[in-house]
Amino acid sequence: MELLDRETFIDWMERIMKRFDELKQTTPGIPQRPMINGEPLLDNQEVCLMLQISKRTLQRYRASGTLPFHIVYHKTWYLESEILAFMQTHFTENLKRKRNRHSQSE
């Protein structure tokens, strides 16, 4: 097996990177992430990380109808705007409850 010298290796890497750049320019319409009507879709893992919840809790939210979701080709997706609205609604409610409990205990 023949080893490449540093100069040859760099030359090949530059060719590869140039090819990637050319590919990127010829396919500008392909989104980096799945979208519906131009709005980003999030998968289960991304939503769990955003909400800081387990997959099981996410499943409970879906089953109860608390969190809207979409199934596309047998995969569950969430519209980013719906997740942000969910966060605003539920996190604001929880914050109010905590404040009420705190003020009542004083």
Side-chain angles (χ1 to χ4, degrees):
M1 184 165 115
E2 186 178 329
L3 294 176
L4 293 176
D5 62 11
R6 180 171 163 59
E7 199 172 306
T8 306
F9 175 76
I10 291 173
D11 183 48
W12 274 101
M13 291 307 292
E14 286 174 356
R15 285 184 188 179
I16 291 170
M17 294 310 293
K18 184 178 176 185
R19 195 64 182 256
F20 279 135
D21 290 340
E22 289 170 2
L23 271 172
K24 190 176 178 182
Q25 290 174 358
T26 59
T27 56
I30 298 174
Q32 296 299 319
R33 65 170 40 255
M35 296 190 171
I36 291 181
N37 295 329
E39 185 173 349
L41 291 170
L42 305 171
D43 64 15
N44 289 324
Q45 183 176 357
E46 290 170 315
V47 173
C48 285
L49 290 171
M50 274 180 83
L51 301 178
Q52 297 181 353
I53 58 174
S54 69
K55 287 183 180 183
R56 179 65 184 115
T57 300
L58 183 59
Q59 185 179 7
R60 270 197 301 275
Y61 285 161
R62 282 194 316 263
S64 68
T66 307
L67 187 64
F69 64 96
H70 308 271
I71 297 179
V72 180
Y73 296 114
H74 307 290
K75 183 165 168 112
T76 305
W77 296 96
Y78 308 84
L79 285 171
E80 187 176 54
S81 63
E82 292 174 342
I83 298 302
L84 295 174
F86 173 85
M87 289 172 70
Q88 187 171 6
T89 301
H90 289 81
F91 292 170
T92 304
E93 286 176 11
N94 288 340
L95 190 59
K96 285 179 186 175
R97 280 190 216 127
K98 285 181 184 177
R99 286 183 184 153
N100 285 340
R101 278 188 244 145
H102 182 63
S103 65
Q104 290 173 356
S105 63
E106 290 177 348

